[in-house]
Amino acid sequence: MTLEAAAALAVPTPAAAAAELFAALNRARAAVGLGALVWEPRLALAAEAHSRELCTADEVRHHSTDTGTALDRVRRAGVEAAWVAETLGQAESVPEVHRSLLASPAHRAARLRPGLTHAGVGACVVRAPGGRPRLYLTELLVEQ
């Protein structure tokens, strides 16, 4: 097996995937002159729980019959927010999720909103048929 093929099959831990996406988000913000977001652990826990739900359902959706909307999840986490957004992605790698979120005008606008202050990112990582990784990532973005 080539090194490239092995890397394609590498499966990151959920914590590593979340940290990688959060770092990519802050790099994207810096590239357009925006400040870095502060990691909010309560948002990260809520985002991780939503990502696990997406894994179980094997679909990407903002509304959950169990946990409601992004605003519901943020409130239940005990985070005060003047503005809330949620971005979701499913792909084989974190860079692929990051690129797809920036390529979507609505997701890009949410992630690069000037007033954002805090974020939490959660991930669920599984192996898809054939052994390739499948990542489900949730970003909860707030303005406080």
Side-chain angles (χ1 to χ4, degrees):
M1 177 181 291
T2 68
L3 191 56
E4 186 176 287
L9 293 176
V11 178
T13 65
E20 185 179 345
L21 187 60
F22 182 70
L25 168 61
N26 274 330
R27 283 192 305 275
R29 291 179 60 79
V32 296
L34 296 172
L37 301 179
V38 175
W39 180 263
E40 170 45 76
R42 296 170 297 174
L43 292 176
L45 287 173
E48 182 180 343
H50 190 62
S51 290
R52 283 194 311 268
E53 184 179 343
L54 300 178
C55 264
T56 300
D58 192 23
E59 64 181 15
V60 177
R61 63 177 189 267
H62 288 283
H63 188 270
S64 163
T65 56
D66 294 332
T67 63
T69 66
L71 180 58
D72 295 328
R73 288 185 276 283
V74 168
R75 285 179 175 158
R76 223 176 354 275
V79 175
E80 295 286 329
W83 189 86
V84 173
E86 177 179 73
T87 65
L88 307 173
Q90 185 270 316
E92 291 185 357
S93 71
V94 173
E96 187 180 345
V97 169
H98 178 64
R99 282 190 302 273
S100 70
L101 291 173
L102 287 179
S104 160
H107 291 100
R108 181 181 183 82
R111 297 175 93 215
L112 301 182
R113 182 180 169 95
L116 289 179
T117 57
H118 294 76
V121 181
C124 180
V125 182
V126 296
R127 282 207 184 270
R132 299 194 69 82
R134 182 176 295 153
L135 287 70
Y136 294 83
L137 289 136
T138 302
E139 291 177 327
L140 284 170
L141 311 165
V142 302
E143 184 177 317
Q144 290 185 317

